[in-house]
Amino acid sequence: MNNAERHALIAQTVRDAGSATVPELAELTGASEMTIRRDLDALSAQGVLERFRGGARTLLLRGEEPPFALRARAAVDAKRRIAAGISALIADGETVVLDSGTTCLELARLLRERPVTVMPLSLPAVHVFGDTPGPATLIVPGGQPRATEGALTGPLTLASLSALRFDTAVLGCCALSAADGLTSYDLDDATVKRAATAAARRTLAAADGGKLGRTAFARAVPTDHLHTLVTDPTAPPAELAALEAAGVAVTVV
């Protein structure tokens, strides 16, 4: 188990249980207690958890979104495969509105090398296109960046979306189920997702299997507004079947 895998397991364990001790985490991961203490210090510095003597406790309330630093390290290989799967569905010359989130950030790195027009809805993705210019055309929306991950929200973002029409909207995903559709932890983020969907001819959802069959706080996009889901083999088969029955095309990569 490498550092990133161990950190992800520790963070998930602390989040699920509410707290965990150093000996418990050492037994779980097979690492020494000294290594676990260093891991907890590093995760605490990133705002993932709170240290106490002999262990750590979660900082998250029920229904609260995990920190961007933690999400960026989770299921990285799956997110890259999903991003490649989404990229394959986008033709050269298309106009694309690209949602915020870690999977969409992976997609930004691929679309930067394509002759497409892209309006990213997060500052990290804007920087991907701007730092190393390629054949892609960048459109920068207005908006107020959310703390920690730079997702753009607010009236200026909504105005940017309402002024344009796109071939494709690519939405990241906090949670997705056939029953509740695509949901979000944040009301402003949900509003932006709805506006992106309304501005596009089709909507593609990008979600690793851990997001499926779950429901977050704010309704964003109903299931019947989603055209295609690209996910990975860890997705629950029953949930994929329910989504397909609801009319969503499912691609597993």
Side-chain angles (χ1 to χ4, degrees):
M1 187 180 297
N2 61 35
N3 283 351
E5 292 169 338
R6 195 173 61 252
H7 284 187
L9 179 57
I10 290 170
Q12 188 64 50
T13 300
V14 171
R15 182 186 178 196
D16 290 345
S19 65
T21 66
V22 169
E24 289 171 343
L25 294 170
E27 181 177 359
L28 175 68
T29 62
S32 69
E33 292 190 6
M34 182 177 295
T35 297
I36 294 299
R37 289 189 185 94
R38 287 197 297 266
D39 291 340
L40 294 179
D41 287 341
L43 292 169
S44 176
Q46 295 167 14
V48 173
L49 48 74
E50 181 183 28
R51 285 283 272 124
F52 61 77
R53 185 175 180 84
R57 65 175 62 90
T58 182
L59 288 170
L60 297 178
L61 301 173
R62 181 175 296 178
E64 191 174 3
E65 186 174 25
F68 185 80
L70 175 59
R71 288 184 285 124
R73 292 198 303 270
V76 174
D77 290 341
K79 290 174 182 177
R80 288 173 178 167
R81 293 196 307 272
I82 291 167
I86 291 283
S87 180
L89 297 175
I90 296 172
D92 289 350
E94 281 200 38
T95 54
V96 180
V97 55
L98 181 61
D99 198 9
S100 59
T102 55
T103 305
C104 288
L105 188 59
E106 294 292 345
L107 179 58
R109 298 185 176 105
L110 299 178
L111 294 182
R112 178 182 60 192
E113 309 302 328
R114 300 274 308 280
V116 292
T117 298
V118 183
M119 187 167 84
L121 298 177
S122 74
L123 292 184
V126 169
H127 291 155
V128 165
F129 287 95
D131 289 348
T132 309
T137 299
L138 170 65
I139 298 176
V140 181
Q144 182 176 4
R146 290 171 57 199
T148 71
E149 66 179 272
L152 295 168
T153 62
L156 293 178
T157 304
L158 298 178
S160 297
L161 288 166
S162 66
L164 300 169
R165 289 296 177 266
F166 300 89
D167 293 306
T168 301
V170 180
L171 300 185
C173 185
C174 298
L176 173 62
S177 71
D180 293 318
L182 196 152
T183 51
S184 176
Y185 290 99
D186 183 87
L187 290 171
D188 290 334
D189 179 59
T191 301
V192 169
K193 283 176 165 54
R194 283 196 297 274
T197 299
R201 181 174 56 86
R202 62 170 181 166
T203 300
L204 310 181
D208 63 81
K211 309 289 181 59
L212 299 186
R214 297 175 179 244
T215 300
F217 174 65
R219 289 183 180 272
V221 180
T223 305
D224 60 4
H225 284 49
L226 301 175
H227 295 84
T228 302
L229 164 68
V230 180
T231 187
D232 71 274
T234 66
E239 191 62 43
L240 295 184
L243 287 164
E244 288 182 316
V248 180
V250 174
T251 299
V252 178
V253 295

